[in-house]
Amino acid sequence: MELNNYLRDFSRASLSFFKSLGLSANAAAVVNALTLLALALVITYIIYYIVRRLLRLIVIQTIRKADIPFFKFLLENKAPHYLSLIAPLMVLYLTIPIVFHDYQQINKLLLGLCDIYLVLVVVWVMMAVIKAGADLLKEKPGFKGKPMDSYLQVIRILLYLFGTVVLFSNLTGKSPVAFFTAMGAISAVLLLMFKDTIMGFVASIQVTTNDIVRIGDWITMPKYGADGDILEINLTTVKVQNFDKTITTIPTYSLISDSFQNWRGMRQSGGRRIKRALNIKQSSIRFLKEEELTKFEQIQLVSSYIQHRQRDIERHNTRTNADKSLLINGRNLTNAGLFRKYIDNYISSHSGTNKKMNIMVRQLAPTPHGLPIEVYVFANTIIWAEYEHIMADIFDHIIAAAPYFGLQIYEAEGSGDVKQLEMLNQIDRA
């Protein structure tokens, strides 16, 4: 109260001073108002600057001495800046009625603008505190990868709605009930306007509750051309950074309404699947003669297998009295079967395969392009470049090994078949 009286006395004294300069009453009042306004703005800025510096200093010193993470996030979210805006507002509330005492319309307008700005500042301060809390939670293991931004957006909407209600009440002089009555009358329009927001909020809850996706997950969604890591999940969109460094945005609701592939399980397992087949020309598959087996025993990865299997085969053929003048009679080793066993032993001993996960070499159904021999194994890394290197290394070896078993890999008509036949002839002559 004393401060108000002092300011009013100062205003009267300055008005008298301008009148003493020979100005008319109206001119003196205008000049006095403009002078006081300029002085008030300067004082407002000085107070804002001092308060802002003090708050930042207090927060920074608290961070240094107490090492409280929450204060660090308060600083990052500009909480001291928003708090410092309240002090100059108080100055304006004090000075505006005095500066524009003779101009009630302007006085009322400026005070109304200050009311609006004060509500916005309070909302900003509350949001900064909430964001700081959310950032602190993101550091916790239990909240990593959760779509916290979606919930922050909902809180932001609720806070702005609260601020709108307060402003409505202040500016119109009516109770908040009148505001909600008016809102109810246009609820259909509001539901249409906020359809994506409402659906996104529902989707965010389901995504979090069911742990469908997390920040950092690699997802593939061909419908939207997305194939990369999730950067952000908010109320309306999911931001995905593709492997070509482009950004794809997906509607949040599509995560529960459409199908997509999440590669999180692969990353957590520590192994990435290799599933690829080679097509063997069926005309090159044949039974192996006994005299050929001596040559194949020189291949170390199948040497013990040949000896073991051959003993089993001989016992069976003797027991069944098989006529071995024809190879088709009784049981026999084939070059394709021996090749499959070689591949199985090779990938089982390869340094790049995960021995704790499935290792399998299987024969698929014959096709017009040959007999597919599929390798099903997991690399011991999830890093893309290393995975590709391991897979290429395995198949380089398998392709190069096929001719040693008298097998031809199917290709479209070309000169490659002739070269492979020449190599087979050289092997047979060796």
Side-chain angles (χ1 to χ4, degrees):
M1 199 67 179
E2 292 181 2
L3 181 60
N4 278 339
N5 292 333
Y6 175 79
L7 292 174
R8 290 183 187 280
D9 292 341
F10 182 80
S11 176
R12 293 191 194 98
S14 62
L15 180 62
S16 300
F17 171 75
F18 289 120
K19 285 181 179 179
S20 67
L21 296 177
L23 297 174
S24 64
N26 289 335
V30 171
V31 173
N32 183 53
L34 293 175
T35 303
L36 291 176
L37 177 62
L39 185 60
L41 291 176
V42 171
I43 294 172
T44 299
Y45 179 77
I46 292 172
I47 290 176
Y48 160 73
Y49 181 80
I50 293 172
V51 172
R52 180 169 173 268
R53 295 286 293 182
L54 282 174
L55 287 174
R56 280 182 60 85
L57 185 63
I58 291 170
V59 172
I60 291 171
Q61 290 299 321
T62 304
I63 294 171
R64 287 177 179 173
K65 292 181 179 179
D67 192 23
I68 302 174
F70 181 70
F71 282 89
K72 181 187 74 172
F73 292 122
L74 281 177
L75 190 62
E76 290 178 358
N77 287 285
K78 300 182 179 180
H81 166 71
Y82 294 131
L83 277 172
S84 62
L85 294 174
I86 296 177
L89 267 175
M90 297 301 101
V91 176
L92 291 176
Y93 273 117
L94 286 171
T95 55
I96 286 175
I98 296 170
V99 172
F100 297 100
H101 180 266
D102 298 325
Y103 306 94
Q104 290 303 313
Q105 293 296 328
I106 298 176
N107 182 24
K108 185 177 179 180
L109 174 64
L110 292 178
L111 287 176
L113 292 175
C114 286
D115 287 339
I116 294 172
Y117 195 64
L118 178 60
V119 172
L120 290 175
V121 169
V122 172
V123 171
W124 291 339
V125 170
M126 293 174 69
M127 276 307 304
V129 174
I130 292 170
K131 282 182 179 179
D135 290 340
L136 183 63
L137 288 177
K138 287 179 183 178
E139 298 290 315
K140 306 292 182 183
F143 289 89
K144 279 191 176 179
K146 301 295 182 182
M148 301 296 295
D149 291 333
S150 297
Y151 302 115
L152 285 175
Q153 286 181 319
V154 172
I155 294 171
R156 185 183 293 114
I157 291 171
L158 293 176
L159 285 175
Y160 279 119
L161 178 62
F162 171 77
T164 304
V165 173
V166 172
L167 287 175
F168 176 84
S169 299
N170 288 343
L171 296 177
T172 62
K174 297 180 180 179
S175 68
V177 177
F179 175 82
F180 287 109
T181 302
M183 291 286 286
I186 59 170
S187 58
V189 177
L190 291 174
L191 287 174
L192 184 62
M193 290 173 58
F194 293 101
K195 181 189 72 171
D196 292 338
T197 302
I198 295 169
M199 292 175 66
F201 177 59
V202 173
S204 296
I205 294 175
Q206 292 186 345
V207 164
T208 304
T209 304
N210 300 318
D211 198 21
I212 297 173
V213 292
R214 302 173 188 168
I215 305 295
D217 280 357
W218 168 19
I219 67 168
T220 303
M221 205 168 190
K223 179 179 178 180
Y224 295 97
D227 184 16
D229 297 330
I230 294 178
L231 296 180
E232 179 183 322
I233 302 175
N234 55 44
L235 273 182
T236 54
T237 57
V238 176
K239 191 180 293 183
V240 179
Q241 184 177 52
N242 300 312
F243 292 119
D244 59 0
K245 299 305 178 183
T246 58
I247 302 294
T248 297
T249 55
I250 302 170
T252 305
Y253 189 72
S254 64
L255 293 179
I256 59 174
S257 63
D258 295 329
S259 176
F260 66 95
Q261 189 172 17
N262 190 337
W263 296 82
R264 187 201 308 162
M266 180 272 292
R267 285 181 165 174
Q268 291 176 343
S269 71
R272 186 169 177 180
R273 187 182 69 175
I274 297 172
K275 184 175 179 287
R276 181 179 289 183
L278 290 174
N279 289 328
I280 303 297
K281 273 194 172 183
Q282 297 175 66
S283 59
S284 67
I285 298 174
R286 58 187 175 82
F287 292 120
L288 295 176
K289 299 176 183 179
E290 283 193 34
E291 56 269 23
E292 291 180 290
L293 293 176
T294 304
K295 181 184 66 176
F296 283 112
E297 285 181 9
Q298 296 176 15
I299 302 175
Q300 294 177 343
L301 288 177
V302 291
S303 177
S304 60
Y305 171 76
I306 292 173
Q307 295 170 8
H308 172 72
R309 288 293 294 157
Q310 193 59 20
R311 285 195 297 268
D312 290 343
I313 289 171
E314 287 175 357
R315 281 197 296 267
H316 176 271
N317 290 340
T318 301
R319 188 171 62 252
T320 59
N321 197 25
D323 181 6
K324 296 307 295 176
S325 60
L326 290 176
L327 284 176
I328 195 173
N329 293 327
R331 293 173 63 182
N332 298 278
L333 285 171
T334 64
N335 58 347
L338 198 57
F339 185 52
R340 279 190 291 109
K341 185 60 180 178
Y342 174 81
I343 297 173
D344 186 74
N345 289 341
Y346 176 74
I347 60 177
S348 296
S349 60
H350 195 284
S351 61
T353 58
N354 192 319
K355 311 304 185 294
K356 296 180 181 179
M357 305 178 80
N358 287 342
I359 295 177
M360 179 171 55
V361 180
R362 61 177 180 167
Q363 184 185 109
L364 304 181
T367 71
H369 302 293
L371 180 69
I373 303 295
E374 184 183 78
V375 173
Y376 192 101
V377 68
F378 288 81
N380 60 5
T381 180
I382 61 172
I383 300 172
W384 190 7
E386 295 178 3
Y387 161 79
E388 292 288 348
H389 174 76
I390 292 168
M391 182 166 57
D393 184 63
I394 289 172
F395 278 88
D396 285 348
H397 185 91
I398 292 173
I399 292 169
Y404 287 86
F405 293 86
L407 295 169
Q408 297 180 51
I409 296 173
Y410 175 85
E411 288 182 345
E413 291 184 3
S415 60
D417 293 340
V418 176
K419 292 180 179 178
Q420 197 170 40
L421 285 172
E422 290 177 355
M423 185 176 180
L424 286 171
N425 293 331
Q426 290 176 3
I427 293 169
D428 289 336
R429 289 194 297 268

